Amino acid sequence: MGYKVTLDDLKNFRQLGSNTPGHPENTHTDGIEVTTGPLGQGISNAVGMAIAERHLAATFNKPGFPVIDNTVYAIAGDGCLQEGVASEACSLAGHLQLGNLIVLYDSNGIQIDGSTKLGFTEDVLERYSSYGWQTLAVADGDNDLEGLTRAIEAAKAEPNRPTLIKVETTIGFGAAKAGTEGVHGAPLGAESLAAVKALFDFDPAQKFSVSDDVYRLYGERAAEGARREEEWHALMARYAQAHPELHAELVRRIEGRLPQGWEKALPRYTPEDKPVATRKLSETVINAIAGVVPELIGGSADLTGSNLTRWKGAVDFQPESTGLGNYAGRYVRYGVREHGMAAISNGIAAYGANIPFASTFLNFISYAAGATRLSALSHLRVLYIMTHDSIGLGEDGPTHQPIETMAMLRATPNYLNFRPADGNEVSAAYLAALQHSDCPSVLSLTRQNLPQLEGS
């Protein structure tokens, strides 16, 4: 397929220092788009990638020039769909009518502890249908490849709903312990492995043997991919002629270059300026840069009026049919979904050409920690704009006070932590956060007014 993964890499599967670990990372293995080790993160990242595609398509596509036009695919299992973060993200995906998202749900009824009947007996398709998804099923995922193909084609034909395809399979199909937790991440053993090879007409005596027919098939797929890439480059060349300004802007964003001179828009202060809360100073920065850094896209987990993250003239990212905004909009209404918000932001960042931000009270970044640490591990530029940074946060009391939160954030590798003390430091925090393209940043902001300091 053109990726830099060799047969020798496969021989070192799950070994220390291997290029093929059990949970591959986007920064280590070629072809890995997102780091998804903890369950539920990958499907949530996929929602973010689908949002990014819809937004860029609405921003840059013109009649005859579908320069952004792809479907996002994800594969998820029973464990993924048990995680709360997946429910948060998928609920929002249904509301946003992301018809460019297709999830293949490998329903094998097994997890590490045993059968999913031990604690996961809901009707998943009914749940996703209630989210606003199209739901399809393939009853014999072990054999019915034609049925699977038909389901994918039906999913691609649905423009306004994400699709979940439930594919019922047998874990370890063909092995002696097929259909049990005994084949979940464990080697089959020589005897069982030989039996599986014989079942599928492989020579049991051969190891890591790949036939010429397989190489030929995948070579054809790689050639097809290369041909389509050439077609896209040709389309982009015509787009450059027809829409030169849009083309230059899209290329800049794909290459990850910030706009020339954008930092000149950052506010500056002197000690003579009045004391202001740093969350309010952050709002001033966002209003100043929103127009000159158009790749900035994000929102708040139902705390917009407290986080002060929506700039003047902002348009919400919403389906036009709702009358609430459009896909060219850049303000995302995440609802009370902190963990989903962070995981979705990782997907937006991974897609590229966008810089996502996510906002809530500092205390509630703990709700999102499963995804925020993956921002750091994945080297993704996500801005976490966190307000109410201390015990002085109003009427809410100890449940909302971020006592241990800063210690957790500061202990996370590859994570920029800013707690600005005045207006110039707020501007500097945004400057550093946007300039560092290989790590996330958290801006911890006050509710209380702070003086503008001498020499800051």
Side-chain angles (χ1 to χ4, degrees), residues 236-266:
M236 284 289 283
R238 298 194 299 274
Y239 183 64
Q241 294 295 318
H243 303 283
E245 292 184 2
L246 282 175
H247 175 269
E249 176 67 7
L250 177 57
V251 169
R252 178 191 69 77
R253 290 173 62 168
I254 290 173
E255 292 178 350
R257 293 181 284 111
L258 290 169
Q260 188 75 26
W262 74 273
E263 67 278 3
K264 296 176 182 177
L266 291 168

PDB file of all heavy atoms in Angstrom, residues 236-266:
ATOM      1  N   MET A 236      -6.377  20.480  -8.154  1.00  0.00           N
ATOM      2  CA  MET A 236      -5.854  21.631  -7.418  1.00  0.00           C
ATOM      3  C   MET A 236      -5.179  22.640  -8.346  1.00  0.00           C
ATOM      4  O   MET A 236      -5.260  23.861  -8.129  1.00  0.00           O
ATOM      5  CB  MET A 236      -4.876  21.162  -6.341  1.00  0.00           C
ATOM      6  CG  MET A 236      -5.535  20.557  -5.118  1.00  0.00           C
ATOM      7  SD  MET A 236      -6.378  21.794  -4.090  1.00  0.00           S
ATOM      8  CE  MET A 236      -4.974  22.545  -3.257  1.00  0.00           C
ATOM      9  N   ALA A 237      -4.526  22.149  -9.382  1.00  0.00           N
ATOM     10  CA  ALA A 237      -3.891  23.061 -10.335  1.00  0.00           C
ATOM     11  C   ALA A 237      -4.943  23.890 -11.060  1.00  0.00           C
ATOM     12  O   ALA A 237      -4.764  25.112 -11.263  1.00  0.00           O
ATOM     13  CB  ALA A 237      -3.048  22.260 -11.324  1.00  0.00           C
ATOM     14  N   ARG A 238      -6.050  23.257 -11.457  1.00  0.00           N
ATOM     15  CA  ARG A 238      -7.141  24.008 -12.104  1.00  0.00           C
ATOM     16  C   ARG A 238      -7.801  24.965 -11.121  1.00  0.00           C
ATOM     17  O   ARG A 238      -8.185  26.085 -11.478  1.00  0.00           O
ATOM     18  CB  ARG A 238      -8.170  23.031 -12.682  1.00  0.00           C
ATOM     19  CG  ARG A 238      -7.615  22.117 -13.767  1.00  0.00           C
ATOM     20  CD  ARG A 238      -8.736  21.410 -14.530  1.00  0.00           C
ATOM     21  NE  ARG A 238      -9.560  20.552 -13.664  1.00  0.00           N
ATOM     22  CZ  ARG A 238      -9.269  19.293 -13.366  1.00  0.00           C
ATOM     23  NH1 ARG A 238      -8.152  18.723 -13.847  1.00  0.00           N
ATOM     24  NH2 ARG A 238     -10.074  18.577 -12.597  1.00  0.00           N
ATOM     25  N   TYR A 239      -7.920  24.510  -9.871  1.00  0.00           N
ATOM     26  CA  TYR A 239      -8.495  25.353  -8.804  1.00  0.00           C
ATOM     27  C   TYR A 239      -7.640  26.605  -8.608  1.00  0.00           C
ATOM     28  O   TYR A 239      -8.165  27.705  -8.399  1.00  0.00           O
ATOM     29  CB  TYR A 239      -8.546  24.509  -7.528  1.00  0.00           C
ATOM     30  CG  TYR A 239      -9.165  25.133  -6.305  1.00  0.00           C
ATOM     31  CD1 TYR A 239     -10.507  25.491  -6.273  1.00  0.00           C
ATOM     32  CD2 TYR A 239      -8.413  25.309  -5.137  1.00  0.00           C
ATOM     33  CE1 TYR A 239     -11.083  26.024  -5.121  1.00  0.00           C
ATOM     34  CE2 TYR A 239      -8.969  25.834  -3.985  1.00  0.00           C
ATOM     35  CZ  TYR A 239     -10.308  26.187  -3.983  1.00  0.00           C
ATOM     36  OH  TYR A 239     -10.868  26.707  -2.836  1.00  0.00           O
ATOM     37  N   ALA A 240      -6.313  26.446  -8.679  1.00  0.00           N
ATOM     38  CA  ALA A 240      -5.412  27.589  -8.519  1.00  0.00           C
ATOM     39  C   ALA A 240      -5.638  28.630  -9.602  1.00  0.00           C
ATOM     40  O   ALA A 240      -5.520  29.840  -9.350  1.00  0.00           O
ATOM     41  CB  ALA A 240      -3.959  27.117  -8.531  1.00  0.00           C
ATOM     42  N   GLN A 241      -5.960  28.166 -10.801  1.00  0.00           N
ATOM     43  CA  GLN A 241      -6.223  29.099 -11.888  1.00  0.00           C
ATOM     44  C   GLN A 241      -7.558  29.812 -11.707  1.00  0.00           C
ATOM     45  O   GLN A 241      -7.673  31.010 -11.953  1.00  0.00           O
ATOM     46  CB  GLN A 241      -6.220  28.340 -13.227  1.00  0.00           C
ATOM     47  CG  GLN A 241      -4.865  27.771 -13.608  1.00  0.00           C
ATOM     48  CD  GLN A 241      -3.830  28.849 -13.874  1.00  0.00           C
ATOM     49  OE1 GLN A 241      -4.126  29.867 -14.506  1.00  0.00           O
ATOM     50  NE2 GLN A 241      -2.618  28.651 -13.368  1.00  0.00           N
ATOM     51  N   ALA A 242      -8.562  29.050 -11.265  1.00  0.00           N
ATOM     52  CA  ALA A 242      -9.913  29.612 -11.144  1.00  0.00           C
ATOM     53  C   ALA A 242     -10.112  30.403  -9.860  1.00  0.00           C
ATOM     54  O   ALA A 242     -10.837  31.407  -9.840  1.00  0.00           O
ATOM     55  CB  ALA A 242     -10.946  28.484 -11.234  1.00  0.00           C
ATOM     56  N   HIS A 243      -9.468  29.970  -8.787  1.00  0.00           N
ATOM     57  CA  HIS A 243      -9.665  30.606  -7.481  1.00  0.00           C
ATOM     58  C   HIS A 243      -8.301  30.751  -6.800  1.00  0.00           C
ATOM     59  O   HIS A 243      -8.016  30.063  -5.804  1.00  0.00           O
ATOM     60  CB  HIS A 243     -10.609  29.768  -6.617  1.00  0.00           C
ATOM     61  CG  HIS A 243     -11.953  29.516  -7.246  1.00  0.00           C
ATOM     62  ND1 HIS A 243     -12.941  30.473  -7.296  1.00  0.00           N
ATOM     63  CD2 HIS A 243     -12.442  28.407  -7.870  1.00  0.00           C
ATOM     64  CE1 HIS A 243     -14.014  29.962  -7.915  1.00  0.00           C
ATOM     65  NE2 HIS A 243     -13.727  28.718  -8.273  1.00  0.00           N
ATOM     66  N   PRO A 244      -7.455  31.631  -7.288  1.00  0.00           N
ATOM     67  CA  PRO A 244      -6.078  31.705  -6.780  1.00  0.00           C
ATOM     68  C   PRO A 244      -5.976  32.044  -5.291  1.00  0.00           C
ATOM     69  O   PRO A 244      -5.113  31.496  -4.603  1.00  0.00           O
ATOM     70  CB  PRO A 244      -5.439  32.789  -7.652  1.00  0.00           C
ATOM     71  CG  PRO A 244      -6.580  33.551  -8.249  1.00  0.00           C
ATOM     72  CD  PRO A 244      -7.692  32.588  -8.388  1.00  0.00           C
ATOM     73  N   GLU A 245      -6.816  32.913  -4.789  1.00  0.00           N
ATOM     74  CA  GLU A 245      -6.725  33.298  -3.373  1.00  0.00           C
ATOM     75  C   GLU A 245      -7.141  32.143  -2.476  1.00  0.00           C
ATOM     76  O   GLU A 245      -6.480  31.861  -1.456  1.00  0.00           O
ATOM     77  CB  GLU A 245      -7.579  34.534  -3.101  1.00  0.00           C
ATOM     78  CG  GLU A 245      -7.039  35.803  -3.764  1.00  0.00           C
ATOM     79  CD  GLU A 245      -7.843  37.028  -3.393  1.00  0.00           C
ATOM     80  OE1 GLU A 245      -8.790  36.911  -2.590  1.00  0.00           O
ATOM     81  OE2 GLU A 245      -7.531  38.117  -3.915  1.00  0.00           O
ATOM     82  N   LEU A 246      -8.223  31.473  -2.824  1.00  0.00           N
ATOM     83  CA  LEU A 246      -8.662  30.319  -2.035  1.00  0.00           C
ATOM     84  C   LEU A 246      -7.613  29.209  -2.082  1.00  0.00           C
ATOM     85  O   LEU A 246      -7.338  28.557  -1.072  1.00  0.00           O
ATOM     86  CB  LEU A 246     -10.004  29.798  -2.546  1.00  0.00           C
ATOM     87  CG  LEU A 246     -11.255  30.566  -2.134  1.00  0.00           C
ATOM     88  CD1 LEU A 246     -12.482  29.997  -2.830  1.00  0.00           C
ATOM     89  CD2 LEU A 246     -11.445  30.544  -0.620  1.00  0.00           C
ATOM     90  N   HIS A 247      -7.034  28.985  -3.257  1.00  0.00           N
ATOM     91  CA  HIS A 247      -6.017  27.955  -3.398  1.00  0.00           C
ATOM     92  C   HIS A 247      -4.820  28.250  -2.508  1.00  0.00           C
ATOM     93  O   HIS A 247      -4.325  27.367  -1.787  1.00  0.00           O
ATOM     94  CB  HIS A 247      -5.567  27.852  -4.860  1.00  0.00           C
ATOM     95  CG  HIS A 247      -4.432  26.907  -5.075  1.00  0.00           C
ATOM     96  ND1 HIS A 247      -3.108  27.303  -5.042  1.00  0.00           N
ATOM     97  CD2 HIS A 247      -4.414  25.563  -5.310  1.00  0.00           C
ATOM     98  CE1 HIS A 247      -2.332  26.266  -5.245  1.00  0.00           C
ATOM     99  NE2 HIS A 247      -3.090  25.194  -5.419  1.00  0.00           N
ATOM    100  N   ALA A 248      -4.351  29.507  -2.533  1.00  0.00           N
ATOM    101  CA  ALA A 248      -3.197  29.873  -1.715  1.00  0.00           C
ATOM    102  C   ALA A 248      -3.508  29.703  -0.230  1.00  0.00           C
ATOM    103  O   ALA A 248      -2.650  29.235   0.547  1.00  0.00           O
ATOM    104  CB  ALA A 248      -2.793  31.319  -2.003  1.00  0.00           C
ATOM    105  N   GLU A 249      -4.725  30.035   0.175  1.00  0.00           N
ATOM    106  CA  GLU A 249      -5.111  29.900   1.578  1.00  0.00           C
ATOM    107  C   GLU A 249      -5.194  28.434   1.981  1.00  0.00           C
ATOM    108  O   GLU A 249      -4.720  28.039   3.062  1.00  0.00           O
ATOM    109  CB  GLU A 249      -6.453  30.588   1.813  1.00  0.00           C
ATOM    110  CG  GLU A 249      -7.028  30.445   3.204  1.00  0.00           C
ATOM    111  CD  GLU A 249      -6.218  31.149   4.285  1.00  0.00           C
ATOM    112  OE1 GLU A 249      -5.257  31.878   3.951  1.00  0.00           O
ATOM    113  OE2 GLU A 249      -6.552  30.971   5.473  1.00  0.00           O
ATOM    114  N   LEU A 250      -5.772  27.596   1.121  1.00  0.00           N
ATOM    115  CA  LEU A 250      -5.885  26.171   1.434  1.00  0.00           C
ATOM    116  C   LEU A 250      -4.504  25.535   1.529  1.00  0.00           C
ATOM    117  O   LEU A 250      -4.233  24.761   2.464  1.00  0.00           O
ATOM    118  CB  LEU A 250      -6.729  25.463   0.380  1.00  0.00           C
ATOM    119  CG  LEU A 250      -6.886  23.945   0.540  1.00  0.00           C
ATOM    120  CD1 LEU A 250      -7.471  23.587   1.896  1.00  0.00           C
ATOM    121  CD2 LEU A 250      -7.740  23.365  -0.581  1.00  0.00           C
ATOM    122  N   VAL A 251      -3.616  25.845   0.598  1.00  0.00           N
ATOM    123  CA  VAL A 251      -2.270  25.284   0.627  1.00  0.00           C
ATOM    124  C   VAL A 251      -1.540  25.722   1.894  1.00  0.00           C
ATOM    125  O   VAL A 251      -0.855  24.917   2.546  1.00  0.00           O
ATOM    126  CB  VAL A 251      -1.483  25.700  -0.636  1.00  0.00           C
ATOM    127  CG1 VAL A 251      -0.014  25.351  -0.486  1.00  0.00           C
ATOM    128  CG2 VAL A 251      -2.066  25.022  -1.867  1.00  0.00           C
ATOM    129  N   ARG A 252      -1.670  26.994   2.253  1.00  0.00           N
ATOM    130  CA  ARG A 252      -1.038  27.480   3.496  1.00  0.00           C
ATOM    131  C   ARG A 252      -1.505  26.664   4.687  1.00  0.00           C
ATOM    132  O   ARG A 252      -0.708  26.235   5.533  1.00  0.00           O
ATOM    133  CB  ARG A 252      -1.367  28.964   3.715  1.00  0.00           C
ATOM    134  CG  ARG A 252      -0.783  29.530   5.009  1.00  0.00           C
ATOM    135  CD  ARG A 252      -1.326  30.906   5.336  1.00  0.00           C
ATOM    136  NE  ARG A 252      -2.731  30.908   5.702  1.00  0.00           N
ATOM    137  CZ  ARG A 252      -3.212  30.529   6.893  1.00  0.00           C
ATOM    138  NH1 ARG A 252      -2.390  30.073   7.824  1.00  0.00           N
ATOM    139  NH2 ARG A 252      -4.503  30.574   7.149  1.00  0.00           N
ATOM    140  N   ARG A 253      -2.802  26.433   4.758  1.00  0.00           N
ATOM    141  CA  ARG A 253      -3.352  25.732   5.911  1.00  0.00           C
ATOM    142  C   ARG A 253      -2.960  24.258   5.919  1.00  0.00           C
ATOM    143  O   ARG A 253      -2.654  23.691   6.979  1.00  0.00           O
ATOM    144  CB  ARG A 253      -4.870  25.914   5.943  1.00  0.00           C
ATOM    145  CG  ARG A 253      -5.265  27.347   6.291  1.00  0.00           C
ATOM    146  CD  ARG A 253      -6.748  27.611   6.173  1.00  0.00           C
ATOM    147  NE  ARG A 253      -7.528  26.799   7.091  1.00  0.00           N
ATOM    148  CZ  ARG A 253      -8.830  27.016   7.350  1.00  0.00           C
ATOM    149  NH1 ARG A 253      -9.455  28.024   6.761  1.00  0.00           N
ATOM    150  NH2 ARG A 253      -9.473  26.241   8.190  1.00  0.00           N
ATOM    151  N   ILE A 254      -2.941  23.632   4.739  1.00  0.00           N
ATOM    152  CA  ILE A 254      -2.520  22.235   4.664  1.00  0.00           C
ATOM    153  C   ILE A 254      -1.060  22.103   5.099  1.00  0.00           C
ATOM    154  O   ILE A 254      -0.682  21.151   5.798  1.00  0.00           O
ATOM    155  CB  ILE A 254      -2.718  21.682   3.244  1.00  0.00           C
ATOM    156  CG1 ILE A 254      -4.210  21.528   2.939  1.00  0.00           C
ATOM    157  CG2 ILE A 254      -2.010  20.337   3.076  1.00  0.00           C
ATOM    158  CD1 ILE A 254      -4.516  21.143   1.509  1.00  0.00           C
ATOM    159  N   GLU A 255      -0.231  23.066   4.711  1.00  0.00           N
ATOM    160  CA  GLU A 255       1.189  23.030   5.069  1.00  0.00           C
ATOM    161  C   GLU A 255       1.439  23.421   6.516  1.00  0.00           C
ATOM    162  O   GLU A 255       2.565  23.269   7.010  1.00  0.00           O
ATOM    163  CB  GLU A 255       1.975  23.947   4.132  1.00  0.00           C
ATOM    164  CG  GLU A 255       2.016  23.439   2.699  1.00  0.00           C
ATOM    165  CD  GLU A 255       2.756  24.381   1.763  1.00  0.00           C
ATOM    166  OE1 GLU A 255       3.072  25.525   2.191  1.00  0.00           O
ATOM    167  OE2 GLU A 255       3.011  23.986   0.613  1.00  0.00           O
ATOM    168  N   GLY A 256       0.415  23.912   7.210  1.00  0.00           N
ATOM    169  CA  GLY A 256       0.550  24.235   8.624  1.00  0.00           C
ATOM    170  C   GLY A 256       1.238  25.552   8.906  1.00  0.00           C
ATOM    171  O   GLY A 256       1.708  25.787  10.029  1.00  0.00           O
ATOM    172  N   ARG A 257       1.292  26.452   7.915  1.00  0.00           N
ATOM    173  CA  ARG A 257       1.914  27.760   8.118  1.00  0.00           C
ATOM    174  C   ARG A 257       0.877  28.747   8.650  1.00  0.00           C
ATOM    175  O   ARG A 257      -0.225  28.844   8.107  1.00  0.00           O
ATOM    176  CB  ARG A 257       2.506  28.283   6.800  1.00  0.00           C
ATOM    177  CG  ARG A 257       3.689  27.485   6.289  1.00  0.00           C
ATOM    178  CD  ARG A 257       4.237  28.076   4.984  1.00  0.00           C
ATOM    179  NE  ARG A 257       3.396  27.758   3.841  1.00  0.00           N
ATOM    180  CZ  ARG A 257       2.665  28.638   3.172  1.00  0.00           C
ATOM    181  NH1 ARG A 257       2.647  29.922   3.563  1.00  0.00           N
ATOM    182  NH2 ARG A 257       1.935  28.271   2.129  1.00  0.00           N
ATOM    183  N   LEU A 258       1.232  29.469   9.690  1.00  0.00           N
ATOM    184  CA  LEU A 258       0.339  30.506  10.204  1.00  0.00           C
ATOM    185  C   LEU A 258       0.340  31.699   9.251  1.00  0.00           C
ATOM    186  O   LEU A 258       1.303  31.920   8.516  1.00  0.00           O
ATOM    187  CB  LEU A 258       0.794  30.949  11.597  1.00  0.00           C
ATOM    188  CG  LEU A 258       0.598  29.918  12.710  1.00  0.00           C
ATOM    189  CD1 LEU A 258       1.320  30.352  13.980  1.00  0.00           C
ATOM    190  CD2 LEU A 258      -0.892  29.706  12.998  1.00  0.00           C
ATOM    191  N   PRO A 259      -0.736  32.503   9.241  1.00  0.00           N
ATOM    192  CA  PRO A 259      -0.791  33.659   8.348  1.00  0.00           C
ATOM    193  C   PRO A 259       0.347  34.646   8.632  1.00  0.00           C
ATOM    194  O   PRO A 259       0.736  34.845   9.791  1.00  0.00           O
ATOM    195  CB  PRO A 259      -2.155  34.288   8.657  1.00  0.00           C
ATOM    196  CG  PRO A 259      -2.960  33.192   9.261  1.00  0.00           C
ATOM    197  CD  PRO A 259      -1.984  32.341  10.018  1.00  0.00           C
ATOM    198  N   GLN A 260       0.854  35.247   7.589  1.00  0.00           N
ATOM    199  CA  GLN A 260       1.935  36.208   7.719  1.00  0.00           C
ATOM    200  C   GLN A 260       1.492  37.385   8.593  1.00  0.00           C
ATOM    201  O   GLN A 260       0.491  38.031   8.335  1.00  0.00           O
ATOM    202  CB  GLN A 260       2.344  36.724   6.331  1.00  0.00           C
ATOM    203  CG  GLN A 260       3.579  37.588   6.315  1.00  0.00           C
ATOM    204  CD  GLN A 260       4.860  36.784   6.491  1.00  0.00           C
ATOM    205  OE1 GLN A 260       4.897  35.609   6.160  1.00  0.00           O
ATOM    206  NE2 GLN A 260       5.890  37.406   7.009  1.00  0.00           N
ATOM    207  N   GLY A 261       2.259  37.639   9.662  1.00  0.00           N
ATOM    208  CA  GLY A 261       2.017  38.807  10.500  1.00  0.00           C
ATOM    209  C   GLY A 261       0.820  38.723  11.426  1.00  0.00           C
ATOM    210  O   GLY A 261       0.404  39.736  12.010  1.00  0.00           O
ATOM    211  N   TRP A 262       0.279  37.525  11.598  1.00  0.00           N
ATOM    212  CA  TRP A 262      -0.921  37.396  12.436  1.00  0.00           C
ATOM    213  C   TRP A 262      -0.705  37.901  13.854  1.00  0.00           C
ATOM    214  O   TRP A 262      -1.619  38.428  14.498  1.00  0.00           O
ATOM    215  CB  TRP A 262      -1.363  35.925  12.478  1.00  0.00           C
ATOM    216  CG  TRP A 262      -0.468  35.074  13.341  1.00  0.00           C
ATOM    217  CD1 TRP A 262       0.669  34.450  12.976  1.00  0.00           C
ATOM    218  CD2 TRP A 262      -0.635  34.818  14.742  1.00  0.00           C
ATOM    219  NE1 TRP A 262       1.235  33.791  14.041  1.00  0.00           N
ATOM    220  CE2 TRP A 262       0.458  34.007  15.142  1.00  0.00           C
ATOM    221  CE3 TRP A 262      -1.586  35.182  15.693  1.00  0.00           C
ATOM    222  CZ2 TRP A 262       0.613  33.568  16.444  1.00  0.00           C
ATOM    223  CZ3 TRP A 262      -1.436  34.750  17.004  1.00  0.00           C
ATOM    224  CH2 TRP A 262      -0.348  33.948  17.372  1.00  0.00           C
ATOM    225  N   GLU A 263       0.540  37.739  14.362  1.00  0.00           N
ATOM    226  CA  GLU A 263       0.822  38.093  15.755  1.00  0.00           C
ATOM    227  C   GLU A 263       0.683  39.587  16.017  1.00  0.00           C
ATOM    228  O   GLU A 263       0.550  40.018  17.181  1.00  0.00           O
ATOM    229  CB  GLU A 263       2.226  37.611  16.133  1.00  0.00           C
ATOM    230  CG  GLU A 263       3.366  38.322  15.423  1.00  0.00           C
ATOM    231  CD  GLU A 263       3.653  37.787  14.046  1.00  0.00           C
ATOM    232  OE1 GLU A 263       2.926  36.867  13.582  1.00  0.00           O
ATOM    233  OE2 GLU A 263       4.608  38.292  13.412  1.00  0.00           O
ATOM    234  N   LYS A 264       0.680  40.399  14.958  1.00  0.00           N
ATOM    235  CA  LYS A 264       0.512  41.844  15.140  1.00  0.00           C
ATOM    236  C   LYS A 264      -0.874  42.191  15.666  1.00  0.00           C
ATOM    237  O   LYS A 264      -1.071  43.295  16.192  1.00  0.00           O
ATOM    238  CB  LYS A 264       0.773  42.566  13.820  1.00  0.00           C
ATOM    239  CG  LYS A 264       2.209  42.428  13.315  1.00  0.00           C
ATOM    240  CD  LYS A 264       2.393  43.082  11.952  1.00  0.00           C
ATOM    241  CE  LYS A 264       3.818  42.886  11.436  1.00  0.00           C
ATOM    242  NZ  LYS A 264       4.006  43.438  10.081  1.00  0.00           N
ATOM    243  N   ALA A 265      -1.805  41.276  15.523  1.00  0.00           N
ATOM    244  CA  ALA A 265      -3.165  41.514  16.023  1.00  0.00           C
ATOM    245  C   ALA A 265      -3.287  41.300  17.527  1.00  0.00           C
ATOM    246  O   ALA A 265      -4.300  41.696  18.128  1.00  0.00           O
ATOM    247  CB  ALA A 265      -4.149  40.599  15.294  1.00  0.00           C
ATOM    248  N   LEU A 266      -2.279  40.699  18.155  1.00  0.00           N
ATOM    249  CA  LEU A 266      -2.366  40.423  19.590  1.00  0.00           C
ATOM    250  C   LEU A 266      -2.364  41.726  20.387  1.00  0.00           C
ATOM    251  O   LEU A 266      -1.526  42.608  20.148  1.00  0.00           O
ATOM    252  CB  LEU A 266      -1.192  39.535  20.028  1.00  0.00           C
ATOM    253  CG  LEU A 266      -1.217  38.090  19.503  1.00  0.00           C
ATOM    254  CD1 LEU A 266       0.120  37.409  19.761  1.00  0.00           C
ATOM    255  CD2 LEU A 266      -2.359  37.307  20.156  1.00  0.00           C
TER     256      LEU A 266
END
